[in-house]
């Protein structure tokens, strides 16, 4: 196939691809420019030049939203792969495999990220000042796809991880708390176990959330009467008296303003919770560095969590 006369690799810059990747993730030109350390006009101009070079409009721009075009989505997926390979090239060339520097693409499940990642960012600024985290939140299946595809370097997932070829190092055990509206028949009862929980009024996240699967497993697949699209919606449904659920301890600690509307109490079952692990590709040459990172995160686990069981 002949090459377009105005297109050549000489005009294709990794920096421009990085700009496009940031806009695609953040859906906002101003925030993307801030992440990339450039002015918004400069970033917008480079995106326009990239679109001209590719001959495709990557983004649909309106006053209210920025979103990839249909054709742009395909190219942006390829851009992610190119950038992942570029980061891999730098990792391979690094002379000290036990150290992490530069940009690290880290993903986290949606029911953990908002409550755990702010602390991780503060910790990394203190312990690893040469390391810059590029954070992504998604459901487990999507994070694993991006991890295997090289778009993510590491991910924070709940064990077990259903994919071969990945290394998992447990960081901490996060207990689940029983969350009920005030006045619920379970509120105020002591020494409750999972077996004490009734099938009626159980609220869960919708299909696709690992927290839903974990709760169903712990509750012996009791049928849920209602479903929520997010953990925040689940909070509001409980507060409105729609039923009860199991909430991760970090999410409960992050929302003290709702404690008057939702009664949260510990369960007597030691197994009521989930183990959070740092996960990466077993083929990644930075494995020694990732193990060091996992050790740092485990040593600085949040106060509401317990030490994870040893790998076995």
């Amino acid at each position: 196939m002949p090459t377009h006369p105005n297109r050549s690799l000489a005009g294709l810059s990794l920096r421009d691809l990085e700009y496009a990747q940031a806009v695609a993730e953040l859906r906002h030109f101003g925030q993307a420019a801030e992440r990339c350390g450039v002015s918004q006009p400069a970033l917008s101009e480079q995106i326009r030049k990239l679109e001209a070079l590719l001959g495709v409009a990557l983004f649909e721009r309106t006053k209210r939203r920025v979103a990839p075009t249909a054709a742009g989505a395909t190219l942006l997926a390829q851009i992610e792969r190119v950038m992942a390979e570029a980061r891999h090239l730098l990792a391979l060339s690094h002379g000290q495999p036990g150290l992490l520097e530069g940009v690290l693409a880290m993903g986290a499940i949606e029911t953990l990220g908002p409550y755990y990642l702010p602390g991780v960012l503060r910790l990394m600024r203190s312990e690893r000042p040469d390391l810059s985290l590029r954070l992504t939140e998604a459901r487990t299946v999507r994070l694993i796809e991006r991890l295997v595809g090289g778009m993510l370097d590491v991910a924070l997932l709940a064990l077990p991880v259903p994919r071969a070829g990945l290394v998992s190092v447990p960081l901490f055990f996060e207990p689940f708390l029983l969350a009920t509206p005030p006045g619920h028949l379970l509120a105020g009862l002591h020494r409750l176990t999972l077996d004490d929980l009734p099938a009626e009024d159980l609220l869960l996240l919708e299909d696709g959330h690992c927290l839903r699967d974990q709760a169903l497993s712990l509750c012996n697949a009791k049928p849920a009467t209602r479903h929520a699209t997010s953990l925040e919606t689940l909070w509001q449904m409980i507060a409105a008296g729609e039923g009860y659920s199991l909430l991760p301890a970090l999410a409960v600690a992050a929302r003290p303003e709702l404690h008057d509307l939702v009664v949260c109490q510990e369960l007597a079952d030691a197994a009521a919770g989930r183990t959070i692990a740092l996960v990466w590709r077993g083929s990644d040459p930075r494995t020694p560095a990732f193990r060091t990172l996992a050790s740092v995160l485990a040593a600085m686990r949040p106060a509401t969590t317990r030490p994870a069981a040893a790998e076995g």
Side-chain angles (χ1 to χ4, degrees):
M1 184 176 180
T3 303
H4 190 284
N6 293 324
R7 298 180 192 175
S8 72
L9 288 177
L12 194 59
S13 161
L14 284 178
R15 176 53 63 89
D16 292 346
L17 299 185
E18 181 184 26
Y19 292 167
Q21 189 177 36
V23 174
E25 289 183 9
L26 299 173
R27 305 297 176 95
H28 193 283
F29 276 79
Q31 293 175 12
E34 184 177 357
R35 172 194 282 184
C36 296
V38 297
S39 67
Q40 182 174 337
L43 180 137
S44 298
E45 177 61 23
Q46 291 307 117
I47 293 290
R48 281 194 289 270
K49 289 181 178 178
L50 177 61
E51 289 176 322
L53 176 66
L54 298 175
V56 172
L58 296 174
F59 301 104
E60 178 184 349
R61 305 158 172 85
T62 69
K63 291 183 178 180
R64 293 180 176 271
R65 63 191 290 267
V66 174
T69 62
T74 300
L75 293 180
L76 287 164
Q78 182 62 34
I79 285 173
E80 276 200 293
R81 288 188 283 271
V82 170
M83 294 303 296
E85 288 300 321
R87 288 192 295 271
H88 192 196
L89 174 65
L90 290 177
L92 288 172
S93 67
H94 203 287
Q96 302 181 68
L99 296 178
L100 282 179
E101 295 179 347
V103 178
L104 183 73
M106 173 183 285
I109 48 177
E110 293 172 335
T111 55
L112 175 73
Y115 318 106
Y116 179 57
L117 290 179
V120 172
L121 286 170
R122 289 191 294 270
L123 176 62
M124 290 299 100
R125 279 197 294 269
S126 171
E127 299 292 325
R128 298 288 189 274
D130 294 331
L131 184 64
S132 176
L133 296 182
R134 182 165 58 83
L135 303 176
T136 299
E137 294 174 16
R139 299 183 187 183
T140 300
V141 171
R142 176 60 175 153
L143 290 176
I144 290 177
E145 288 175 353
R146 297 188 62 159
L147 189 59
V148 171
M151 282 74 83
L152 288 176
D153 300 313
V154 295
L156 295 161
L157 303 174
L159 294 180
V161 177
R163 188 67 176 255
L166 298 178
V167 177
S168 304
V169 175
L171 302 180
F172 54 82
F173 180 83
E174 181 183 22
F176 290 161
L177 301 182
L178 176 66
T180 66
H184 192 274
L185 61 88
L186 297 176
L189 296 180
H190 299 292
R191 297 294 299 174
L192 280 169
T193 68
L194 292 166
D195 290 337
D196 296 325
L197 304 182
E200 299 78 18
D201 297 335
L202 175 61
L203 303 173
L204 293 176
L205 292 175
E206 65 182 7
D207 231 354
H209 286 277
C210 63
L211 181 58
R212 167 195 170 89
D213 299 333
Q214 293 151 9
L216 279 173
S217 174
L218 290 169
C219 295
N220 297 317
K222 290 182 171 71
T225 55
R226 301 280 182 88
H227 299 89
T229 57
S230 69
L231 202 54
E232 293 304 303
T233 302
L234 192 59
W235 266 109
Q236 301 301 332
M237 290 175 69
I238 298 170
E242 296 291 330
Y244 78 94
S245 192
L246 300 177
L247 296 181
L250 289 173
V252 172
R255 298 301 302 274
E257 72 278 9
L258 291 178
H259 291 184
D260 290 337
L261 301 174
V262 177
V263 178
C264 294
Q265 53 189 325
E266 295 181 1
L267 290 162
D269 299 78
R274 61 185 181 180
T275 298
I276 300 299
L278 187 70
V279 183
W280 62 88
R281 295 180 301 282
S283 60
D284 197 307
R286 294 169 293 178
T287 286
F290 292 154
R291 289 194 180 277
T292 299
L293 175 61
S295 296
V296 171
L297 294 177
M300 302 297 289
R301 62 178 178 81
T304 53
T305 66
R306 304 201 302 263
E311 292 180 89

